[in-house]
């Protein structure tokens, strides 16, 4: 299976999901990740475009259960995002969500809850920043409030389980 990018090319999914400490016989699928990492510029100029293929791929990796891989790609995009920009805040939240999902898979619900709480804090921070009307940046049209509500609902659960992982791309735009 592959994920179509906004450039029209298809980026392959990794051959397996890497889970630190659980996949001792296999390291991460670095060859597949290298293909998408090559798409990340050293710096984005004014914002991270919502349709950038590395960004879309990183989000899709999370939603397909490749949490560690998603973190790697989203962190690379975050590092190239403009300092102080809204996309940087949203990318940090998305990276924390992927990390929380990974912790859930590793059966570490308390660590997952902490990361989801940090992501929720980032989303609240983002909601205080002015959006650009009709902007093309990742944070401009993202359904931040819907994702924050989803995280709040997860954090209200008495105990998080592997089944409580969060799909970022499944959040509806309301």
């Amino acid at each position: 299976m592959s994920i179509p990018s906004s450039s029209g090319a298809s980026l392959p999914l990794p051959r397996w999901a890497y889970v630190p400490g659980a996949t001792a016989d296999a390291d991460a699928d670095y060859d597949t990740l290298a293909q998408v990492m090559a798409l990340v510029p050293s710096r984005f100029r004014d914002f991270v475009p919502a349709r950038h293929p590395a960004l879309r791929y990183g989000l899709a990796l999370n939603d397909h259960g490749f949490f560690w891989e998603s973190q790697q790609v989203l962190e690379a995009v975050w590092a190239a995002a403009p300092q102080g920009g809204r996309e940087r805040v949203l990318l940090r939240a998305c990276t924390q969500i992927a990390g929380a999902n990974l912790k859930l898979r590793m059966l570490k619900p308390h660590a997952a809850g902490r990361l989801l709480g940090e992501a929720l804090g980032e989303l609240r921070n983002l909601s205080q920043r002015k959006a650009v009307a009709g902007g093309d940046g990742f944070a401009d049209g993202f359904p931040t409030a819907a994702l924050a509500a989803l995280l709040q609902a997860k954090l209200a659960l008495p105990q998080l389980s592997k089944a409580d992982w969060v799909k970022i791309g499944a959040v509806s735009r309301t």
Side-chain angles (χ1 to χ4, degrees):
M1 177 177 207
S2 62
I3 300 170
S5 72
S6 63
S7 66
S10 288
L11 300 169
L13 283 172
R15 293 171 289 180
W16 59 87
Y18 178 66
V19 180
T23 51
D25 292 342
D27 283 334
D29 185 0
Y30 292 109
D31 293 338
T32 299
L33 289 179
Q35 293 178 49
V36 74
M37 295 294 206
L39 301 174
V40 179
S42 60
R43 286 275 171 239
F44 286 100
R45 186 168 178 129
D46 297 319
F47 57 88
V48 177
R51 298 230 175 257
H52 191 277
L55 170 64
R56 304 309 319 158
Y57 184 77
L59 296 174
L61 282 171
N62 177 78
D63 292 357
H64 282 86
F66 294 92
F67 308 130
W68 183 87
E69 294 81 0
S70 174
Q71 277 186 290
Q72 300 306 301
V73 173
L74 292 175
E75 285 176 359
V77 175
W78 173 86
Q83 294 288 329
R86 297 180 76 243
E87 284 81 19
R88 200 166 172 94
V89 176
L90 182 54
L91 283 161
R92 180 164 165 77
C94 291
T95 301
Q96 290 167 323
I97 291 168
N101 290 339
L102 180 60
K103 295 296 184 191
L104 288 173
R105 178 171 288 155
M106 296 169 71
L107 303 177
K108 296 182 178 186
H110 296 294
R114 180 185 54 78
L115 287 167
L116 290 177
E118 289 176 12
L120 181 58
E122 293 292 343
L123 294 174
R124 288 180 176 152
N125 178 14
L126 181 61
S127 70
Q128 302 300 314
R129 295 177 176 221
K130 184 177 163 99
V132 177
D136 291 331
F138 174 47
D140 294 329
F142 191 86
T144 306
L147 183 56
L150 176 60
L151 296 184
Q152 284 179 308
K154 297 288 184 183
L155 290 168
L157 295 171
Q159 174 88 17
L160 291 169
S161 73
K162 283 175 75 170
D164 292 315
W165 66 283
V166 176
K167 285 188 175 186
I168 300 167
V171 177
S172 65
R173 298 178 186 272
T174 56

